[in-house]
Amino acid sequence: MLREIRDLGPVGLVPAAWLAAAASIRGLLGTDGMLIAHAVMATFIAVFAVTGWSAMSEGAFRAWRAVMVIGLPVTLAGLAGFFVSGPNQLLFSISLVGWMLLPAAGLAYTAGELPAARLLYLGTAALSASGAAVAVGGLVIPDEQLLLTGIALVGIGQTIGIADASYRDQSEAGYADAPESTSR
């Protein structure tokens, strides 16, 4: 059961995280909601990293293990933003942009590990990276619509990438025991 949650959880959590970010920007999700979202995200990342550590030692999984290892402090930076008054916007921005760029790098790495899906993963990496660029523009100007457009691009790219990865994993009979799964 833990394996299914670890393997399928991100398919729901990735789009939910980007929807929560957009809802927060629009004022539909308050500070308490985002604080809870950051705490839940940090918890899930830690659990996924610990429970999947050995299974994520080869192929593209190595890159995703690195994404989680780097992503945990990025998430904690965002969480810390709720408890400090001075640099809180900087901490929120680090968390937001970090989670746009880290998976973009993981998707690009996955493209190199899965030749049969190279274009799909390059495309999802490009969507995520371009979304990050648009969002940074929205943060700098500041422009809410630009920021939301960036979040949408990132959310679409990352959701397609994680859904494909999960589908590939589920279609392999033995998960990590199948020879094909170690190539990710």
Side-chain angles (χ1 to χ4, degrees):
M1 170 103 167
L2 180 60
R3 179 178 280 190
E4 285 90 13
I5 291 170
R6 189 182 66 225
D7 292 346
L8 296 174
V11 176
L13 292 173
V14 168
W18 292 115
L19 287 171
S24 175
I25 302 297
R26 296 287 298 152
L28 302 172
L29 183 62
T31 303
D32 290 344
M34 284 307 291
L35 172 64
I36 292 167
H38 275 79
V40 167
M41 189 171 163
T43 301
F44 272 107
I45 292 166
V47 169
F48 287 153
V50 169
T51 62
W53 189 264
S54 62
M56 299 178 82
S57 62
E58 297 180 22
F61 283 130
R62 251 189 344 254
W64 291 101
R65 182 167 68 180
V67 166
M68 287 191 293
V69 166
I70 298 166
L72 184 57
V74 166
T75 304
L76 293 174
L79 188 61
F82 292 98
F83 300 103
V84 299
S85 57
N88 66 338
Q89 288 304 330
L90 175 62
L91 293 170
F92 294 147
S93 296
I94 288 169
S95 185
L96 180 71
V97 176
W99 275 110
M100 292 175 165
L101 294 175
L102 286 169
L107 291 164
Y109 186 87
T110 301
E113 292 289 319
L114 290 176
R118 180 168 284 130
L119 288 178
L120 181 129
Y121 284 101
L122 286 175
T124 57
L127 271 172
S128 193
S130 63
V134 170
V136 167
L139 289 169
V140 170
I141 292 177
D143 183 318
E144 181 179 295
Q145 193 55 49
L146 206 52
L147 181 55
L148 290 170
T149 300
I151 289 171
L153 290 169
V154 169
I156 291 166
Q158 290 181 10
T159 299
I160 291 169
I162 195 64
D164 182 75
S166 179
Y167 171 77
R168 285 177 194 282
D169 204 33
Q170 294 299 312
S171 68
E172 295 172 359
Y175 289 95
D177 299 330
E180 297 82 12
S181 70
T182 60
S183 66
R184 270 185 278 141

